[in-house]
Amino acid sequence: MVNNIKKWVLSNSFLTRTAIFFRRIHLKRTKKITYQKGSFIGFSVECEGSNGFGRNSSIVASRIGYGSYIAEGTKISKAVIGRYCSIGPNVNCIFGKHPSTTFVSTHPSFFALKTPVGFTYADKQYFTEFAAPHEGNYSITIGNDVWIGANVSLMDGVKIGDGAIVAANALVTKDVEPYSIVGGVPAKIIKKRFTDKEIAFLLQFKWWEKSKEWIANNASHFRNIEDFMEHLKND
């Protein structure tokens, strides 16, 4: 029933604009969402709260955790984003792959049943074009406290671990380990942010699951990892 109503609304441009307008008001009031001009949030997007959406950004078919934001021009789709993530400008998600070895041609008519050109030479699907969802319908996973720099491209199926940093202009083609810094085309590890002991502590501690009040009371310890571990190891 709900899906039928959604389809009916989306089939009418006036109703769609009206629904988007009132949903933005609702999210702003109930979830403390901030918008900039031209930003778009799809009907199926789940916002945990206090999220920010930059100018001309869009997010569809996704879930975004508390305190996370996307900057100007970023386009996010089919992604689950953790809490306290900083996603820079002009980040985009890339879906679909073509065979680069063995197959003589990269054209989908030779390996896919459904193609953009309306015909195929294939009698079945010979190549997996899209990654399987990680959970629900989300096929890109961005952990908690992740910083993604400007102009980064995320390939379908990648998982970015908690605390990771992706340098500007990178192309992420495979999973990124927690608390690592990656960059380049394709993205490769540059270094780890902390020692293995410190990373293990943070992954077990999971500060992003603490209440906003707890974080506010302990925010001074976030400026130095050694101070953080020393004062909060028994928390």
Side-chain angles (χ1 to χ4, degrees):
M1 180 65 178
V2 173
N3 288 334
N4 289 335
I5 294 174
K6 185 184 293 186
K7 289 179 181 178
W8 176 67
V9 170
L10 292 174
S11 67
N12 184 296
S13 60
F14 173 76
L15 291 177
T16 299
R17 291 195 300 271
T18 303
I20 290 172
F21 174 78
F22 283 107
R23 185 167 187 264
R24 286 168 69 97
I25 293 175
H26 174 74
L27 288 174
K28 187 173 183 178
R29 290 177 177 174
T30 61
K31 298 288 188 175
K32 297 182 179 179
I33 306 298
T34 59
Y35 310 94
Q36 292 187 26
K37 185 177 180 180
S39 59
F40 176 80
I41 302 176
F43 287 106
S44 60
V45 173
E46 298 178 29
C47 301
E48 195 168 6
S50 294
N51 306 113
F53 300 98
R55 185 182 180 91
N56 296 323
S57 65
S58 73
I59 180 169
V60 298
S62 298
R63 186 174 77 220
I64 184 168
Y66 183 87
S68 294
Y69 68 88
I70 63 176
E72 179 178 355
T74 286
K75 313 294 182 184
I76 298 293
S77 179
K78 297 174 65 177
V80 55
I81 303 169
R83 297 173 177 174
Y84 295 96
C85 289
S86 306
I87 301 180
N90 302 312
V91 172
N92 69 94
C93 302
I94 301 175
F95 297 95
K97 296 183 291 184
H98 294 242
S100 58
T101 60
T102 307
F103 279 77
V104 173
S105 174
T106 60
H107 195 276
S109 63
F110 291 96
F111 62 79
L113 290 175
K114 294 183 179 180
T115 71
V117 292
F119 71 89
T120 182
Y121 300 116
D123 58 346
K124 65 178 183 179
Q125 190 75 27
Y126 285 96
F127 180 79
T128 302
E129 298 175 84
F130 302 98
H134 299 160
E135 58 170 296
N137 293 318
Y138 311 125
S139 57
I140 292 176
T141 298
I142 300 172
N144 302 281
D145 191 28
V146 171
W147 174 24
I148 299 178
N151 306 310
V152 168
S153 294
L154 307 175
M155 290 294 293
D156 187 17
V158 299
K159 296 181 180 180
I160 300 178
D162 297 326
I165 297 174
V166 181
N169 302 307
L171 171 62
V172 182
T173 61
K174 59 183 180 180
D175 294 352
V176 176
E177 293 297 316
Y179 288 98
S180 62
I181 302 175
V182 301
V185 180
K188 296 180 180 179
I189 188 166
I190 298 172
K191 66 176 184 177
K192 294 182 178 180
R193 290 182 59 194
F194 306 115
T195 66
D196 290 343
K197 181 180 179 180
E198 291 166 343
I199 290 173
F201 178 87
L202 290 168
L203 291 175
Q204 183 177 22
F205 194 87
K206 297 183 186 298
W207 64 263
W208 47 83
E209 294 184 355
K210 301 288 187 181
S211 68
K212 184 178 178 180
E213 290 72 25
W214 182 95
I215 294 174
N217 290 334
N218 292 280
S220 62
H221 300 305
F222 279 64
R223 299 170 194 142
N224 183 280
I225 181 62
E226 294 178 356
D227 179 53
F228 186 94
M229 291 177 65
E230 176 63 26
H231 286 86
L232 302 175
K233 59 186 177 183
N234 296 319
D235 194 286

